[in-house]
Amino acid sequence: MASSVAAPSRSPSFVWCALGTAALTWALIVFGAVVRVTDSGLGCGTDWPLCNGTVFPPLDNLTAWIEWLHRLFALLIGLCGLATLALAWRDFRKQDARVLRLAMLAAFFFLLQSGLGAVVVFWELPPTFVTLHLGVAMLLLAALLAAALVAWHHPQPRRPGDSLSELAGVNAAFALLIILTGALVRGSGATLACVEWPLCYAGILLPVEEGLLAVIHMTHRFSVAAMAVTLLFLAWRSWRRRALVRRMAMAAALVYLLQIGVGGLFVISAAGPVWGAVHVGLAAAVWGLLVCLFVIERLALRARRPIEKSMA
C-alpha cells in the first residue's frame, strides 16, 4: 500500500538550511528573553535600527550591547531566511509548492516580527506589542520547522481514525496561548505579583482581591496546569504509536514538566534572569515539538489520499 504513494525528491541543502534557521530563531527567542529579564529592551533608547544614534553602542553600556546584539542576531536570521527562501524556490517551486509556500510564510513572519520589533522600541515597550512580537517569533519558528518536515518527511499512510493530529494541534495552540500569556505577565509587570509557588502567597489560590496583576499571574498558572493535563493525555495516546510519534510526544511532555519546574524557580528566585531565559527557551522547545508532531500526523493523513483515489 505504501509503495503507491509517490515521494517527491528531497533537498538536503534546503532541509538543513531551514532547520539551521529554525535553531537560530529558537536561540533568538531565548536571547529576547535575556533582553527582557535584564531590562535591556530600551538599551538603545528609542532608536531603531541605530543604537542611541550610533551604529555601535559605547563599550561601557551593557544593556545597550545586549539589545544591539539581539538586533544583530535577528539580522543573521534574516540572511539565513533569504537563503532558505532561495533554496525553496530552486528546489520546490515545481515539485512541491507547499514547501515554497511555507518558506514564503516564514519570510513574511520575519518581516512582520522585525516591524513589530521597531514598534516596540519606538513606543517604549508597550505590553501588547511585546507579546505580539514574541508570538510572531513563535510562528516564524513553526513555519521553518513545517517547511523542513514537509520537504524531508514522507511517512507511511495513516488511517483517519488513527491520527493524533487534532490532539497535537490543540496542544500546540494551547502552548502558544500559554507563551503569549507568559509574555503578558512579564510585560504588564505581574511577574512577582505572586511570590509563592504553586499558590499565589499565604496559601491563597485565587487572589481576586489582590488586584489585577495577581489575577493575570495566576491565570497564566491555571493555563499551564490545564495544558499539563492535555499534554499528558497526548503522551498516553501516543504510547503505542510509531517510534517517531511516540518519542516526540514524550519529549514534549517531559520538556513541559521541566518548564513548569523552572517557572517555579523563576518565581522563588524573585525573577532570576537565568531562570527566566531558560523558562522561555523550554516553552519555545515544547511549542516546536508539538508543531512538528502536528505536521507529521497531517502528512501521514495526506499520504492516504492517493491510495483512496486509486481504490475508488
Side-chain angles (χ1 to χ4, degrees), residues 178-193:
I178 288 173
I179 288 169
L180 295 180
T181 60
L184 185 60
V185 167
R186 176 67 186 179
S188 63
T191 302
L192 294 178

Side-chain angles (χ1 to χ4, degrees), residues 111-184:
L111 293 175
L112 180 58
Q113 184 198 19
S114 299
L116 287 171
V119 169
V120 165
V121 170
F122 293 150
W123 291 1
E124 300 184 6
L125 311 181
T128 300
F129 282 92
V130 170
T131 302
L132 287 175
H133 185 55
L134 178 60
V136 174
M138 294 295 174
L139 295 177
L140 170 60
L141 176 62
L144 290 166
L145 290 172
L149 279 172
V150 173
W152 168 77
H153 186 63
H154 305 289
Q156 298 294 322
R158 188 72 51 79
R159 295 190 304 274
D162 191 41
S163 175
L164 293 174
S165 61
E166 292 82 3
L167 188 54
V170 168
N171 275 276
F174 217 156
L176 182 59
L177 176 63
I178 288 173
I179 288 169
L180 295 180
T181 60
L184 185 60

Side-chain angles (χ1 to χ4, degrees), residues 206-220:
L206 299 172
V208 177
E209 298 180 356
E210 307 305 321
L212 179 60
L213 294 183
V215 171
I216 291 173
H217 187 114
M218 288 306 295
T219 299
H220 175 64

Side-chain angles (χ1 to χ4, degrees), residues 15-309:
V15 172
W16 283 111
C17 190
L19 288 177
T21 308
L24 288 174
T25 301
W26 178 84
L28 180 66
I29 291 169
V30 177
F31 204 158
V34 173
V35 171
R36 289 192 297 277
V37 299
T38 57
D39 294 321
S40 302
L42 292 177
C44 289
T46 56
D47 286 344
W48 190 93
L50 296 178
C51 185
N52 292 316
T54 62
V55 176
F56 298 99
L59 294 177
D60 59 348
N61 191 335
L62 179 60
T63 58
W65 272 100
I66 292 174
E67 170 63 7
W68 186 83
L69 289 173
H70 179 253
R71 296 182 188 182
L72 189 64
F73 205 158
L75 177 61
L76 174 62
I77 291 175
L79 296 175
C80 292
L82 284 175
T84 302
L85 184 59
L87 289 171
W89 175 264
R90 185 194 71 180
D91 297 336
F92 292 101
R93 70 181 186 274
K94 295 180 179 179
Q95 298 180 25
D96 192 341
R98 295 174 301 168
V99 178
L100 179 58
R101 287 196 294 267
L102 286 167
M104 293 175 67
L105 184 62
F108 167 76
F109 284 142
F110 176 80
L111 293 175
L112 180 58
Q113 184 198 19
S114 299
L116 287 171
V119 169
V120 165
V121 170
F122 293 150
W123 291 1
E124 300 184 6
L125 311 181
T128 300
F129 282 92
V130 170
T131 302
L132 287 175
H133 185 55
L134 178 60
V136 174
M138 294 295 174
L139 295 177
L140 170 60
L141 176 62
L144 290 166
L145 290 172
L149 279 172
V150 173
W152 168 77
H153 186 63
H154 305 289
Q156 298 294 322
R158 188 72 51 79
R159 295 190 304 274
D162 191 41
S163 175
L164 293 174
S165 61
E166 292 82 3
L167 188 54
V170 168
N171 275 276
F174 217 156
L176 182 59
L177 176 63
I178 288 173
I179 288 169
L180 295 180
T181 60
L184 185 60
V185 167
R186 176 67 186 179
S188 63
T191 302
L192 294 178
C194 294
V195 294
E196 294 181 3
W197 190 89
L199 301 178
C200 186
Y201 69 95
I204 297 176
L205 178 63
L206 299 172
V208 177
E209 298 180 356
E210 307 305 321
L212 179 60
L213 294 183
V215 171
I216 291 173
H217 187 114
M218 288 306 295
T219 299
H220 175 64
R221 293 196 196 179
F222 292 146
S223 301
V224 169
M227 183 180 166
V229 175
T230 61
L231 188 52
L232 289 174
F233 181 63
L234 172 64
W236 175 73
R237 283 281 308 276
S238 68
W239 186 253
R240 296 182 181 276
R241 304 303 173 94
R242 295 172 183 176
L244 178 61
V245 172
R246 181 175 66 253
R247 291 170 184 169
M248 197 162 288
M250 294 300 296
L254 291 174
V255 174
Y256 187 74
L257 293 176
L258 180 60
Q259 180 199 357
I260 292 175
V262 170
L265 290 172
F266 183 52
V267 171
I268 295 171
S269 65
V274 173
W275 296 118
V278 173
H279 188 55
V280 173
L282 291 174
V286 172
W287 160 251
L289 285 167
L290 290 171
V291 167
C292 290
L293 181 57
F294 173 75
V295 172
I296 287 171
E297 288 292 286
R298 295 302 298 177
L299 288 173
L301 283 178
R302 186 183 179 90
R304 277 189 57 85
R305 295 179 184 176
I307 300 173
E308 292 173 346
K309 290 181 179 179

